[in-house]
Amino acid sequence: MTAVGLLSAAAFRSMALSIMPAVAFVPAATLRLLPAVLGRLGHEVNAAAPPWTRRNADRAGAS
């Protein structure tokens, strides 16, 4: 997006300037909120796992 901002067309420059903060915000929000969500779920985090992955996890935990 920074390269698009270097173009002389005002439409491309304004689009690049509006997308760059969004691109910076999404990873920051993800890094901030994902640990909170995982902490809130606790051991329930694997509740929706497919059956074949649960079976493998149970087998690995038993050994």
Side-chain angles (χ1 to χ4, degrees), residues 2 6 8 11-12 22 24 31 49 51:
T2 305
L6 296 176
S8 61
F12 287 124
L31 289 174

Side-chain angles (χ1 to χ4, degrees), residues 29-50:
T30 301
L31 289 174
R32 180 71 177 154
L33 295 175
L34 183 62
V37 170
L38 291 176
R40 176 68 75 163
L41 287 173
H43 294 291
E44 303 283 328
V45 73
N46 290 328

Side-chain angles (χ1 to χ4, degrees), residues 17-62:
L17 289 175
S18 63
I19 290 174
M20 281 190 281
V23 169
F25 174 76
V26 169
T30 301
L31 289 174
R32 180 71 177 154
L33 295 175
L34 183 62
V37 170
L38 291 176
R40 176 68 75 163
L41 287 173
H43 294 291
E44 303 283 328
V45 73
N46 290 328
W52 62 86
T53 59
R54 267 189 259 143
R55 185 175 59 233
N56 290 338
D58 291 340
R59 195 178 314 140

